[in-house]
Amino acid sequence: MAHASGGKARRRIPIVPEPGPEQQVRLYAATRKIYPRTIAGYFNNWRWAMVWATQLFFYGMPWLEWGGRQALLFDLASRRFYILGLVLYPQDLIYLSGLLVVSALSLFLFTAVAGRLWCGYACPQTVYSEIFLWVERHVEGERSARIRLDGGALSLEKLVKKWFKHIVWLAMALWTGFTFVGYFTPIRELALAFLQTRMGGWEIFWVLFYGLATYGNAGFMREQVCKYMCPYARFQGAMFDRDTLIVSYDPARGEPRGPLDKGRPAALARARGDCIDCSLCVQVCPTGIDIRKGQQYECIGCGLCVDACNQVMDKVARPRGLIRYSTENGLAQGWDRARMLRRVLRPRVLVYGVVLLALGLGLAASLVVRMPLKVDVVRDRAALARIVAGGRLENVYRLQLMNATEKEQVLRVQAHGLAGLLVAADEPYAVGPAEARWVAVRLQLPAEQAPPGSHPVYFDVGNADGSLHVSEKSIFLVPR
Ligand code: SF4
Ligand code: SF4
């Protein structure tokens, strides 16, 4: 504490008041649990169709076989990716990068055309939240029953329901983790190892990690992941424009809103908008927002509020579409659907579309003409240039021959680049289907044939019928 002393004037220390609650910046916003209500309808059917399609693919694909091996396997241990008939080596990373670029561009294109289609229908977070919610509904009941159960005192019924729900969730989550690992380790071997309780430590870790992440994200965090963790929710606004189709409430038609009152005189009823303020659109929303407040970044574009409001409009004998897929321009100008759809082919969409088409075609063409043989050349550092019998100069190399076909290949190695260069012990090498094999190759050159220094040479590797052929560059060292 500061004190004034002697004859000096006492100095006042300003007292800064504590900030009030409204002045404090909170880094964590407490959230209320959302209890989405079930709704049937066109968009809900699409959502479930996508749940089935994505999950049949995800859980089923690792069990499918192709030519005696797993059809889709990213075998990290042997550094090989199997995609149906394709065998990709780390040297083929360019194709996977191309696939990622095509996927990102597709996302841009779909977002520019129709907003967050990915989020609402195909994102794993949405899909697993929907599946976990389905379990919750079947165990604990519909929205009101779940609210009652959570708000009620602890009882045997509550305990049994909660335990049962979590056991089902955990079983599904662990099966999801197991399937995920099955994309990186042959799933049949993994299942056998599990049954014989001899699964590896890393495999157990990843099954638990991915399984518990699914359990936490789909069971507890749900819309919080979309709101606070997903970066796409934040930057997708940059891909929208006034002609992007988004789920919108039509305020010109809905306002002024008010409850339905059948006894109201016709003149007064006409003065009201079509929204009867039933809040069904809010109750069905998986992110708990009110679309009538306008476009919000929390909206994942699932269309469930459209289904809900259409049901309400049917009941009150008003036209459907008070909440609908529309565009900002469409709503502001009162355009009909045909006029809005005509604006789909605008410059931004055309640019995305053309670039996507060019990249997709380029990727497909490069895969078709891709040579299913890879060769890596490594100079043997232990054996530098040496003189061998006959006074020839010899350099030793290690070649990795990678067969990316489904058949065994018998390969021969030749070399060119220097006059008189030859491969000592020119022998064929058998490489099994989708296998890689290291071989030692010795190149010999007559002495005095080349001046001292390093000279470029080329290894030509191919099969007998010439369908496989690769040329790889290296250097031949001539010592002083
Ligand atoms: S469901 Fe339709 S009528 Fe009901 S509150 Fe929402 S917008 Fe209004
Ligand atoms: S506002 Fe409608 S479209 Fe958006 S997330 Fe909620 S229910 Fe889905």
Side-chain angles (χ1 to χ4, degrees):
M1 188 183 283
H3 289 278
S5 59
K8 286 186 185 166
R10 186 183 286 263
R11 198 153 46 92
R12 290 224 169 151
I13 298 173
I15 297 169
V16 180
E18 281 284 315
E22 68 289 344
Q23 294 165 303
Q24 291 173 3
V25 177
R26 295 192 182 280
L27 297 179
Y28 176 75
T31 51
R32 64 192 163 81
K33 185 172 174 188
I34 292 169
Y35 297 87
R37 189 181 180 132
T38 316
I39 193 78
Y42 180 78
F43 292 104
N44 186 51
N45 291 344
W46 268 110
R47 266 163 75 83
W48 275 102
M50 289 304 292
V51 168
W52 279 104
T54 52
Q55 297 317 290
L56 278 177
F57 180 87
F58 176 73
Y59 291 111
M61 200 63 200
W63 296 97
L64 285 187
E65 296 243 320
W66 182 283
R69 57 159 172 79
Q70 193 167 320
L72 188 57
L73 177 65
F74 303 99
D75 192 343
L76 298 179
S78 64
R79 305 205 301 161
R80 235 156 292 172
F81 294 171
Y82 302 95
I83 304 172
L84 304 180
L86 266 183
V87 182
L88 299 178
Y89 285 88
Q91 288 82 347
D92 293 314
L93 208 64
I94 184 79
Y95 297 111
L96 291 179
S97 314
L99 201 62
L100 283 181
V101 173
V102 166
S103 309
L105 265 173
S106 308
L107 195 63
F108 293 170
L109 176 67
F110 289 130
T111 308
V113 171
R116 294 174 69 178
L117 282 183
W118 163 258
C119 300
Y121 296 89
C123 171
Q125 180 60 27
T126 306
V127 168
Y128 285 102
S129 295
E130 192 62 32
I131 297 172
F132 275 50
L133 197 56
W134 182 86
V135 172
E136 189 169 277
R137 272 189 208 119
H138 282 79
V139 176
E140 295 182 0
E142 244 314 321
R143 180 175 190 266
S144 48
R146 298 202 303 274
I147 295 174
R148 257 199 322 276
L149 190 73
D150 279 358
L154 193 62
S155 63
L156 184 62
E157 182 201 359
K158 186 169 178 172
L159 263 180
V160 169
K161 284 185 171 174
K162 292 283 175 193
W163 270 102
F164 185 59
K165 177 182 82 174
H166 284 282
I167 287 169
V168 177
W169 276 3
L170 273 171
M172 286 166 51
L174 289 176
W175 185 248
T176 306
F178 175 83
T179 305
F180 177 75
V181 175
Y183 278 93
F184 301 93
T185 301
I187 200 161
R188 287 161 202 269
E189 290 171 25
L190 193 67
L192 199 63
F194 172 73
L195 291 175
Q196 296 172 347
T197 60
R198 55 172 181 82
M199 250 167 87
W202 275 113
E203 282 142 2
I204 294 174
F205 170 80
W206 283 112
V207 168
L208 290 178
F209 181 86
Y210 196 81
L212 293 179
T214 306
Y215 175 67
N217 287 346
F220 299 92
M221 296 177 69
R222 293 185 185 165
E223 78 290 344
Q224 308 289 322
V225 175
C226 313
K227 281 184 182 177
Y228 302 117
M229 291 165 69
C230 178
Y232 177 54
R234 302 285 168 166
F235 71 75
Q236 39 95 21
M239 289 176 247
F240 284 16
D241 60 23
R242 293 182 63 81
D243 290 309
T244 299
L245 280 166
I246 44 177
V247 174
S248 324
Y249 167 73
D250 186 348
R253 202 188 122 185
E255 303 296 323
R257 71 185 77 154
L260 190 65
D261 180 0
K262 288 193 176 140
R264 181 176 290 268
L268 278 179
R270 273 197 298 277
R272 282 267 175 86
D274 280 352
C275 174
I276 61 166
D277 211 10
C278 62
S279 84
L280 197 62
C281 50
V282 183
Q283 292 174 35
V284 299
C285 177
T287 63
I289 59 169
D290 185 347
I291 193 67
R292 295 171 300 169
K293 292 179 181 164
Q295 184 58 27
Q296 294 146 71
Y297 81 90
E298 293 98 332
C299 174
I300 58 169
C302 65
L304 293 183
C305 53
V306 180
D307 283 342
C309 193
N310 280 344
Q311 280 191 13
V312 176
M313 292 298 108
D314 288 349
K315 281 193 188 133
V316 299
R318 300 295 304 153
R320 289 178 158 213
L322 175 56
I323 302 178
R324 60 183 183 271
Y325 268 97
S326 182
T327 66
E328 263 189 73
N329 273 335
L331 274 183
Q333 323 279 343
W335 290 345
D336 60 11
R337 181 183 296 192
R339 179 118 192 241
M340 280 187 295
L341 289 181
R342 276 203 295 277
R343 299 284 289 230
V344 165
L345 288 181
R346 55 198 187 277
R348 165 193 292 237
V349 171
L350 287 174
V351 169
Y352 284 150
V354 168
V355 175
L356 184 62
L357 190 69
L359 267 176
L361 286 177
L363 189 64
S366 64
L367 275 172
V368 169
V369 300
R370 163 182 169 271
M371 179 60 67
L373 171 66
K374 308 272 164 228
V375 176
D376 258 0
V377 182
V378 180
R379 272 190 55 84
D380 192 339
R381 308 235 171 248
L384 289 175
R386 60 191 179 197
I387 302 290
V388 293
R392 303 176 75 83
L393 191 59
E394 182 175 273
N395 278 200
V396 184
Y397 304 80
R398 278 164 52 75
L399 267 62
Q400 190 184 24
L401 309 177
M402 291 167 270
N403 175 9
T405 70
E406 302 283 356
K407 295 192 308 191
E408 182 186 81
Q409 298 291 343
V410 177
L411 302 170
R412 292 203 99 90
V413 179
Q414 291 172 326
H416 73 272
L418 286 171
L421 187 72
L422 57 84
V423 178
D426 173 19
E427 59 189 61
Y429 301 104
V431 188
E435 264 188 16
R437 178 179 169 188
W438 283 99
V439 295
V441 176
R442 292 175 291 130
L443 290 190
Q444 294 182 351
L445 189 71
E448 313 292 323
Q449 188 72 35
S454 69
H455 302 274
V457 290
Y458 298 87
F459 286 94
D460 298 314
V461 183
N463 60 358
D465 65 16
S467 59
L468 297 180
H469 181 260
V470 167
S471 189
E472 275 295 315
K473 189 177 174 186
S474 187
I475 54 161
F476 189 94
L477 275 183
V478 179
R480 290 180 193 284

